[in-house]
């Protein structure tokens, strides 16, 4: 019973870390973008925004496995690979998102579906980075749902309070938190088999 409780705690901690680090990634991205100023051309704006959003959210979520293994090497590797693939996902996702927003002519659904593609492409970056096909599928599902929720909430706050800066901050934090938590949650729900370490340095760690 004690081993089972530790296993359940490990799952909860994974979701917790993914949520917190994803949210911090969104917050860091918002902070950097806010200090860079406004870009007149929307393509340049989306390119720069995609770089920072993808890098921070993808990189910090990518570091979670290293944190669980208490390995500085894996943490650095997770940040680098997750961040680099996150950049690609962030840039491409924002471009597709802007196109989707234009097709829907704005609104909550337009923003939600636009950010859904952003979340999808950032979500799959972790799986691609570690060459794990299952992680790609988990990231695709979790990232899509997280992006949709983050985009919808962003647009609701933007139209309610009329402040783009505050809405962007809240939206990016929720985007990162949703992507991180839902990737871990979907992985836990859909996995078919796993191994739990019962004793030793990585006791409670699951693979």
């Amino acid at each position: 019973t004690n081993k089972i409780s530790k296993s359940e705690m490990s799952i909860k901690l994974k979701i917790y870390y993914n949520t917190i680090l994803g949210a911090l990634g969104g917050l860091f991205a918002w902070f950097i973008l806010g200090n860079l100023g406004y870009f007149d051309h929307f393509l340049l704006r989306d390119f720069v925004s995609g770089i920072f959003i993808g890098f921070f959210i993808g990189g910090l979520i990518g570091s979670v496995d290293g944190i669980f293994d208490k390995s500085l090497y894996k943490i650095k590797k997770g940040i680098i690979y997750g961040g680099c693939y996150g950049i690609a996902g962030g840039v491409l996702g924002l471009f597709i998102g802007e196109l989707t927003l234009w097709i829907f002519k704005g609104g909550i659904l337009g923003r939600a579906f636009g950010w859904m593609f952003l979340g999808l492409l950032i979500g799959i970056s972790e799986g691609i980075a570690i060459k794990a096909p299952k992680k790609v599928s988990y990231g695709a599902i979790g990232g899509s749902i997280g992006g949709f929720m983050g985009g919808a909430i962003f647009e609701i706050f933007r139209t309610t309070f009329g402040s783009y800066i505050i809405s962007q901050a809240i939206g990016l934090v929720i985007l990162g938190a949703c992507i991180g938590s839902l990737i871990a949650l979907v992985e836990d729900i859909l996995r078919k088999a796993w191994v739990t370490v019962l004793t030793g340095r990585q006791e409670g760690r699951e693979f």
Side-chain angles (χ1 to χ4, degrees), residues 182-198:
L182 287 166
I183 286 174
L185 186 60
V186 168
E187 180 179 352
D188 178 50
I189 293 171
L190 296 184
R191 62 185 178 171
K192 295 179 179 179
W194 63 96
V195 174
T196 302
V197 179
L198 298 181

Side-chain angles (χ1 to χ4, degrees), residues 47-139:
F47 180 75
V48 174
S49 298
I51 287 174
F52 288 105
I53 293 171
F55 176 78
F56 282 110
I57 295 179
L60 289 183
I61 292 176
S63 70
V64 171
D65 282 340
I67 292 173
F68 265 72
D69 288 343
K70 299 177 182 178
S71 168
L72 185 59
Y73 170 76
K74 285 188 177 181
I75 291 173
K76 291 179 179 178
K77 184 179 178 181
I79 291 174
I80 292 171
Y81 279 90
C84 288
Y85 281 100
I87 287 173
V91 171
L92 183 57
L94 265 185
F95 283 139
I96 296 174
E98 285 290 342
L99 178 61
T100 305
L101 188 63
W102 177 78
I103 292 172
F104 276 85
K105 301 187 186 318
I108 294 174
L109 275 180
R111 184 74 66 178
F113 277 108
W115 280 32
M116 182 184 76
F117 288 105
L118 174 63
L120 166 67
L121 290 166
I122 293 177
I124 67 175
S125 63
E126 182 186 0
I128 295 174
I130 62 175
K131 298 178 181 179
K134 285 290 185 183
K135 284 265 190 181
V136 173
S137 60
Y138 301 150

Side-chain angles (χ1 to χ4, degrees), residues 133-162:
K134 285 290 185 183
K135 284 265 190 181
V136 173
S137 60
Y138 301 150
I141 298 170
S144 296
I145 298 172
F148 187 91
M149 292 172 62
I153 293 170
F154 164 77
E155 191 64 19
I156 290 170
F157 272 94
R158 190 186 70 82
T159 53
T160 302
F161 298 105

Side-chain angles (χ1 to χ4, degrees), residues 30 38 45-46 49 98 111 115 154-155 157-158 161-171:
W30 169 79
Y38 184 77
R45 182 191 66 218
D46 288 347
S49 298
E98 285 290 342
R111 184 74 66 178
W115 280 32
F154 164 77
E155 191 64 19
F157 272 94
R158 190 186 70 82
F161 298 105
S163 172
Y164 186 89
I165 295 175
I166 295 175
S167 301
Q168 186 187 48
I170 295 171

